[in-house]
Amino acid sequence: MKLATIVGARPQFIKAATVSRAIGETPALREILIHTGQHYDANMSKVFFDELRLPRPDYNLGIGGGHHGAQTGQMLIEIEKVLLHEKPDAVLVYGDTNSTLAGALAAAKLHIPLAHVEAGLRSFNKKMPEEQNRILTDHLADLLFAPTKTATDNLLHEGRPPENIHTVGDVMYDAVRYYAALAANSTVLQRHGLNEKNYVLATIHRAENTDDPATLEKIMHDLTRLANEIPVVLPLHPRTRKMLAAIEGSPGQAKITLIDPVGYLDMLMLEKNARLVITDSGGVQKEAYFHGVPCLTMRNETEWVELVQLGYNRLFRPGDDIIAAYEAMQATVITTSTLYGTGDAALKVREAIESQLS
Ligand code: UD1
Ligand code: UDP
């Protein structure tokens, strides 16, 4: 059976690495990898292929940047050409990016069975491009791989057929477990003068936080206040770097350790040793939990509601009292459990594809 996997953005390389490995272990499946090119800087793309030993893409469509419509439309045009040429038996997409939606549309219009990993997540905020992408993808997909019970319930609530839904756990949990040993060799703490459990790790990249200069300025102000108490390290997503350039010189920014995006192994090391994680990333919220580190999420809502319900993660609005929030989170005791599966999500994905799509 020939499977076409479509990826394009940083978190998708990480998600696909675990499933691609499982696929590679069975001769019954042959995978071709299509990279849309949505993320293209070496530290947003190549580093993950190198570190995670993800197979080189068979196609790189080179479609990065641009507005949503143009980006998604260009991807649809180019993915369709590849699918017509390769004639795969099934298409596999991940997450909620424009690459996900373009891949899903291209497959559905060619009547190629479609599988969606990380199905059923909802923020219930339709202004988010990710929410639009995931709802549409879930309604086109023939196989839905939900990471949590909440995600499965969302899909059932939207009328998706129960026989198409598999609650498999989170492939990102598989990845954290698999790469932990390699990450142990990371020297990122030494390189940036950070001490174990004595810094805060922050990541910010969501459109809602970066596109409005006033909001971004508030966030930088919050992080700067915190940096007076404890070192704050912020690997800068290129979107955030670009938007920050417009408000360069805002007071105190120099106190934050701004660094380039890091590879996955360095990131795991940074997460594991942080005293607190502050993020608007979906993946980083869960990785904080996997490492037993409390998290403040700079958003109005999250798709990973379980962690908020348990008190391991707290929503934080820019401009709120960050010192109080930081201090409150210190007391959090995190007990990790099987909330996101048992580390065999990728295997379950492969088995379901083999049994239901071949
Ligand atoms: C995308 C996803 C988001 C995901 C994030 C992961 C959509 C709508 N958004 O957001 O869900 O959480 O990826 O990181 O698909 N850029 C570079 N170099 C790169 C990549 C991007 O300079 O390698 C800059 C470009 O100016 C680009 C901007 O960042 O226009 C935004 O990139 P884009 O991929 O459109 O959206 P992200 O914010 O990365
Ligand atoms: N990540 C990374 N280097 C960084 C920032 C994030 O390797 O500098 C990893 C992180 O560990 C997680 C994934 O990228 O696995 C999350 O991606 P991102 O925050 O870009 O997107 P989201 O999860 O919000 O869609």
Side-chain angles (χ1 to χ4, degrees):
M1 177 186 180
K2 186 175 181 180
L3 188 66
T5 293
I6 296 166
V7 292
R10 172 167 70 186
Q12 293 168 331
F13 310 137
I14 295 158
K15 292 166 197 172
T18 59
V19 180
S20 283
R21 191 172 328 101
I23 290 169
E25 285 163 5
T26 173
L29 292 176
R30 185 161 81 78
E31 184 180 38
I32 57 160
L33 195 60
I34 304 168
H35 184 337
T36 61
Q38 180 170 349
H39 285 175
Y40 46 87
D41 292 345
N43 56 21
M44 294 295 288
S45 175
K46 183 177 181 300
V47 65
F48 299 99
F49 286 83
D50 294 345
E51 282 188 348
L52 310 185
R53 301 193 200 111
L54 192 59
R56 298 287 124 187
D58 297 278
Y59 295 85
N60 190 324
L61 308 178
I63 304 159
H67 291 295
H68 289 287
Q71 189 185 74
T72 313
Q74 282 297 321
M75 287 175 186
L76 177 58
I77 291 170
E78 296 306 320
I79 293 169
E80 183 177 63
K81 286 182 197 161
V82 176
L83 296 183
L84 283 169
H85 175 69
E86 289 285 348
K87 300 185 176 49
D89 300 297
V91 165
L92 180 59
V93 295
Y94 291 88
D96 53 18
T97 71
N98 289 344
S99 299
T100 314
L101 177 61
L105 274 171
K109 285 179 182 293
L110 292 172
H111 302 171
I112 303 171
L114 173 70
H116 182 207
V117 172
E118 216 178 65
L121 293 183
R122 296 290 181 267
S123 65
F124 302 100
N125 173 1
K126 275 204 190 151
K127 282 195 175 153
M128 280 181 78
E130 293 84 359
E131 185 78 350
Q132 301 159 2
N133 292 342
R134 29 175 118 93
I135 292 173
L136 293 167
T137 301
D138 284 340
H139 284 256
L140 293 171
D142 304 285
L143 257 189
L144 295 149
F145 295 111
T148 59
K149 173 156 185 334
T150 313
T152 298
D153 290 346
N154 288 337
L155 292 167
L156 292 172
H157 186 71
E158 289 175 19
R160 304 303 293 128
E163 63 275 18
N164 292 3
I165 305 169
H166 296 258
T167 315
V168 292
D170 186 1
V171 293
M172 292 193 96
Y173 181 49
D174 296 21
V176 166
R177 284 168 53 117
Y178 186 85
Y179 292 104
L182 279 175
N185 299 324
S186 160
T187 58
V188 70
L189 300 191
Q190 295 87 309
R191 296 204 307 276
H192 296 291
L194 299 167
N195 295 315
E196 286 175 26
K197 295 295 162 192
N198 193 29
Y199 64 89
V200 169
L201 169 68
T203 79
I204 297 293
H205 75 275
R206 293 270 163 202
E208 69 215 57
N209 283 331
T210 56
D211 288 7
D212 169 27
T215 305
L216 185 56
E217 202 154 7
K218 250 190 215 168
I219 291 172
M220 296 312 286
H221 185 257
D222 291 340
L223 295 179
T224 301
R225 272 195 73 203
L226 192 57
N228 287 322
E229 305 287 319
I230 180 167
V232 174
V233 60
L234 173 58
L236 265 187
H237 190 286
R239 177 190 203 104
T240 317
R241 183 174 289 284
K242 202 167 78 177
M243 301 313 283
L244 258 185
I247 55 169
E248 205 69 62
S250 63
Q253 222 183 80
K255 289 198 176 140
I256 305 168
T257 306
L258 295 177
I259 62 175
D260 285 334
V262 296
Y264 182 63
L265 303 178
D266 282 348
M267 191 62 183
L268 292 184
M269 177 62 95
L270 284 172
E271 288 167 346
K272 182 177 174 198
N273 290 291
R275 192 181 297 180
L276 175 74
V277 165
I278 300 179
T279 192
D280 59 6
S281 157
V284 176
Q285 285 174 58
K286 283 170 298 153
E287 287 167 353
Y289 163 72
F290 298 149
H291 289 110
V293 176
C295 182
L296 286 180
T297 294
M298 286 242 186
R299 286 184 49 196
N300 290 323
E301 69 277 310
T302 177
E303 302 76 21
W304 304 100
V305 288
E306 309 79 20
L307 299 179
V308 174
Q309 284 155 4
L310 287 165
Y312 300 161
N313 186 0
R314 185 186 285 196
L315 300 176
F316 180 87
R317 281 167 199 81
D320 285 358
D321 186 345
I322 197 151
I323 307 295
Y326 161 68
E327 277 165 6
M329 290 312 279
Q330 301 276 316
T332 313
V333 178
I334 295 178
T335 315
T336 47
S337 68
T338 54
L339 215 49
Y340 296 106
T342 49
D344 58 358
L347 203 62
K348 288 179 175 155
V349 167
R350 183 193 81 193
E351 285 169 357
I353 288 174
E354 272 186 291
S355 65
Q356 274 191 260
L357 292 186
S358 60

